[in-house]
């Protein structure tokens, strides 16, 4: 393993690991997979990704187990989702076998960067698809570049697994109801960037978006889905403007497994007053408990449990999820692939 990294204090930040994987699509076919040490890509200034947002990406992680085996979690779901995103912005889809081959090559060439077991760190993998063909009028590209790079990372939110603060955003939307909120494209993050920076400066971990139509129901939290525990029920928003989180889908399965009822439905903001626990969830966020959700427009703060204490259901779900990912707990759902 790479000896120059302090694994336990790793932030969620980019490190050049010296090996990224690329594949280009041109003349109607995908080419050979190539491995590159350089993290700079040459790109035409009129490329469609730069002007017309022909870009989509994914995020998944590789974990090192106690047994030293490297595992990934539900990578096929990422392979399916990147194609859903690609279709939405008229891009070339990536065959699943190609996605898998790139992933295997990436992990093989980056295995020294998969953090040691027990450090809380993991290898974040970022598949990225961009339109590279030059177009002046609004159009799709005929050429694409698929890249997979990796970076060892620690917790996404700086307080890690400690309960954080979230604030309700009412002055902007990250996505429109029939827009692109259900897919993972850069434009959604650009639309939220000013708000993200502002709320972080105000001491919050994330902005909570409401449904863009009525501004009544909870959508999601910046880069993560939202769920709450209400009595014996796991509730999480159903919405036409949020990303379907693979982590959230897994937590729903685990919640049922431990005897909770799962409800995926519209959640009015005020219902938070009846909830016992709340959290953000995602590949980067894992399960990040929320202590408070502030709604400045109504001068209201919803709190959950105690400021520094993770609620019992969140703790249980986190332990099982991360246990399966690291190989400590048997993967009875078939979510894990060993590398
Ligand atoms: N919502 C948004 C907007 C995200 O960017 C992410 C991260 O991928 C998620 C939710 C969580 O999704 P997943 O659990 O598949 O990583
Ligand atoms: C992820 O959880 O993988 C994300 O993509 C969230 C964020 C880093 C954009």
């Amino acid at each position: 393993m790479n000896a120059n990294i302090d694994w336990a204090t790793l932030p969620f930040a980019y490190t050049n690991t010296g090996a990224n994987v690329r594949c280009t699509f041109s003349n109607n076919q995908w080419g050979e997979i190539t491995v590159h040490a350089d993290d700079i890509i040459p790109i035409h200034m009129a490329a469609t990704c730069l002007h017309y947002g022909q870009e989509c990406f994914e995020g998944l992680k590789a974990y090192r187990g106690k047994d030293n085996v490297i595992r990934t979690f539900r990578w096929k779901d990422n392979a399916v989702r990147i194609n859903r995103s690609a279709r939405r912005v008229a891009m070339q889809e990536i065959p699943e076998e190609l996605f898998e081959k790139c992933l295997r090559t990436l992990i093989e060439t980056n295995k020294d960067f998969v953090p040691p077991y027990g450090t809380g760190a993991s290898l974040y993998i970022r598949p990225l698809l961009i339109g590279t063909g030059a177009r002046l009028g609004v159009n799709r590209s005929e050429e694409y570049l698929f890249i997979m790079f990796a970076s060892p990372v620690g917790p996404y939110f700086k307080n890690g697994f400690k309960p954080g603060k979230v604030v309700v955003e009412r002055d902007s939307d990250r996505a429109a109801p029939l827009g692109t909120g259900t897919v993972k494209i850069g434009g959604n993050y650009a639309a939220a960037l000013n708000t993200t920076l502002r709320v972080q400066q105000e001491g919050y971990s994330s902005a909570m978006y409401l449904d863009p139509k009525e501004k009544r129901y909870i959508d999601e939290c910046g880069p993560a889905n939202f769920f709450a525990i209400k009595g014996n029920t796991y509730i999480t928003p159903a919405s036409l403007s949020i990303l379907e989180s693979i982590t959230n889908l897994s937590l729903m399965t685990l919640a049922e497994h431990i005897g909770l009822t799962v409800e995926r439905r519209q959640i009015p903001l005020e219902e938070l007053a009846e909830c016992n626990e709340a959290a953000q969830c995602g590949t980067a966020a894992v399960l990040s408990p929320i202590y408070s959700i502030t709604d400045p427009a109504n001068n209201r703060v919803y709190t959950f449990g105690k400021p520094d204490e993770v609620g019992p259901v969140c703790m249980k779900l986190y332990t099982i999820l991360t246990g399966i990912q690291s190989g400590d707990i048997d993967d009875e759902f078939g979510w894990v692939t060993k590398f």
Side-chain angles (χ1 to χ4, degrees), residues 53-119:
Q54 272 209 306
E55 181 273 0
C56 62
F57 66 99
E58 270 304 323
L60 65 155
K61 282 175 171 172
Y63 312 83
R64 191 182 292 279
K66 210 184 271 179
D67 53 6
N68 215 27
V69 171
I70 297 170
R71 292 170 174 82
T72 61
F73 187 69
R74 300 187 71 163
W75 69 262
K76 283 191 188 186
D77 294 84
N78 296 99
V80 168
R81 193 170 65 186
I82 199 166
N83 283 336
R84 197 154 69 230
S85 302
R87 282 193 299 276
R88 180 65 180 82
V89 287
M91 297 173 77
Q92 185 62 40
E93 292 183 39
I94 301 152
E96 188 182 293
E97 316 80 69
L98 176 63
F99 189 99
E100 180 175 14
K101 217 165 156 194
C102 288
L103 184 60
R104 289 196 179 276
T105 308
L106 185 78
I107 292 177
E108 179 57 33
T109 51
N110 280 275
K111 54 179 187 284
D112 286 351
F113 287 90
V114 183
Y117 171 81
T119 54

Side-chain angles (χ1 to χ4, degrees), residues 267-336:
I267 304 173
L269 186 65
E270 308 73 53
E271 194 176 337
L272 291 177
E274 298 159 41
C275 295
N276 315 90
E277 299 179 41
Q280 309 180 61
C281 63
T283 299
V286 194
L287 186 164
S288 297
I290 299 173
Y291 169 62
S292 68
I293 299 174
T294 302
D295 181 11
N298 291 309
N299 215 1
R300 196 152 181 198
V301 182
Y302 302 92
T303 60
F304 311 91
K306 295 188 187 142
D308 289 318
E309 227 174 82
V310 178
V313 179
C314 280
M315 182 59 93
K316 204 165 180 177
L317 289 172
Y318 177 86
T319 306
I320 304 174
L321 177 73
T322 55
I324 293 174
Q325 290 168 337
S326 69
D328 282 351
I329 295 178
D330 262 1
D331 170 31
E332 61 182 277
F333 305 101
W335 288 338
V336 163

Side-chain angles (χ1 to χ4, degrees), residues 130-272:
I130 57 175
T132 50
R135 288 281 186 273
L136 197 55
V138 176
N139 203 341
R140 77 185 291 274
S141 172
E142 298 294 334
E143 290 91 41
Y144 292 88
L145 172 61
F146 179 53
I147 305 175
M148 255 194 213
F149 65 83
S151 189
V153 296
Y156 189 72
F157 297 118
K158 67 175 186 300
N159 48 346
F161 190 51
K162 285 219 208 85
K165 289 165 50 179
V166 165
V167 62
V168 176
E169 166 67 3
R170 290 179 184 276
D171 297 333
S172 68
D173 293 316
R174 66 176 283 284
L178 293 173
T180 54
T182 52
V183 293
K184 203 161 168 62
I185 64 167
N188 294 337
Y189 300 83
L193 200 46
N194 278 338
T195 301
T196 305
L197 298 178
R198 175 174 47 79
V199 305
Q200 282 173 355
Q201 220 161 34
E202 290 167 0
Y204 298 102
S205 66
S206 295
M208 170 177 273
Y209 289 92
L210 301 179
D211 79 280
K213 219 168 185 174
E214 293 183 64
K215 288 266 189 249
R216 189 166 167 227
Y217 303 102
I218 296 171
D219 246 6
E220 62 180 337
C221 294
N225 270 188
F226 172 81
F227 73 84
I229 305 299
K230 182 181 171 186
N232 198 36
T233 307
Y234 179 108
I235 57 172
T236 193
S239 163
L240 288 178
S241 45
I242 65 176
L243 189 72
E244 184 171 73
S245 154
I246 296 161
T247 313
N248 197 9
L249 289 173
S250 312
L251 290 170
M252 286 185 235
T253 301
L254 295 177
E256 266 174 358
H257 194 68
I258 61 171
L260 299 177
T261 303
V262 173
E263 289 177 9
R264 199 176 182 186
R265 58 167 169 84
Q266 289 186 310
I267 304 173
L269 186 65
E270 308 73 53
E271 194 176 337
L272 291 177

